[in-house]
Amino acid sequence: MFLRVWRQARAWRPGAARFDTWLHRVALNLCMDRLRRRREVAVADPPEQADPAPGADFMLARDAESRRVERAVAGLPARQREALVMQVYQGLSNIEAAAALGISVEALESLLARARRALRQQLEDLRP
């Protein structure tokens, strides 16, 4: 850089700009010249990157867990299963599910508690 400054010293005009401004501009021009000369090397194939999607083993394990949960829900007594499906899978409120089943909200909550307890016991090993 100092060689460039020495060669460009004649271009500095004392009244037109401050010396440090001119020196900064010479350094900036030198950097820009080097960047222009630098050639990018084109690569035929981009570098391999890991796929961020879950792997096949994860998907298989998740599918197996889903089937196991489905079997556990299917194994519940009919009233417990109906209460659970209405509230969890269909998104009905306790009041709506109780009305659909023709029972009180307290009876629905009792069915849900028993269903959850049974599922928790059957699927204990799946819990983190």
Side-chain angles (χ1 to χ4, degrees), residues 79 82-84 86-87 92-99 101 103-113:
R79 297 291 278 179
E82 290 169 356
L84 188 74
M86 284 183 184
Q87 202 239 7
L92 297 179
S93 69
N94 286 0
I95 296 171
E96 294 168 329
L101 291 172
I103 59 176
S104 68
V105 174
E106 293 79 17
L108 174 80
E109 290 173 353
S110 177
L111 287 172
L112 289 171

Side-chain angles (χ1 to χ4, degrees), residues 1 3 7 18 20 36-37 49 62 67 75 81 84 97 128:
M1 178 180 124
L3 185 60
R7 289 181 185 160
R18 292 182 11 197
D20 59 338
R36 275 190 224 113
R37 273 185 272 151
Q49 297 176 352
R62 189 185 69 184
R67 285 190 302 276
R81 184 177 58 248
L84 188 74

Side-chain angles (χ1 to χ4, degrees), residues 60-71:
L60 288 172
R62 189 185 69 184
D63 290 345
E65 286 178 6
S66 294
R67 285 190 302 276
R68 190 162 165 214
V69 170
E70 287 174 11
R71 283 192 306 271

Side-chain angles (χ1 to χ4, degrees), residues 24-99:
H24 183 279
R25 188 65 202 176
V26 170
L28 185 63
N29 288 343
L30 180 63
C31 291
M32 290 172 52
D33 289 346
R34 284 200 178 162
L35 285 174
R36 275 190 224 113
R37 273 185 272 151
R38 196 171 89 191
R39 299 279 181 215
E40 295 292 327
V41 177
V43 178
D45 296 323
E48 287 212 22
Q49 297 176 352
D51 186 5
D57 55 340
F58 174 80
M59 300 299 280
L60 288 172
R62 189 185 69 184
D63 290 345
E65 286 178 6
S66 294
R67 285 190 302 276
R68 190 162 165 214
V69 170
E70 287 174 11
R71 283 192 306 271
V73 170
L76 291 173
R79 297 291 278 179
Q80 290 178 17
R81 184 177 58 248
E82 290 169 356
L84 188 74
V85 167
M86 284 183 184
Q87 202 239 7
V88 174
Y89 294 106
Q90 294 177 353
L92 297 179
S93 69
N94 286 0
I95 296 171
E96 294 168 329

Side-chain angles (χ1 to χ4, degrees), residues 3-14 19 22 26:
L3 185 60
R4 175 75 62 101
V5 169
W6 181 256
R7 289 181 185 160
Q8 297 293 325
R10 289 178 290 167
W12 180 58
R13 292 176 302 220
F19 179 75
W22 174 82
V26 170

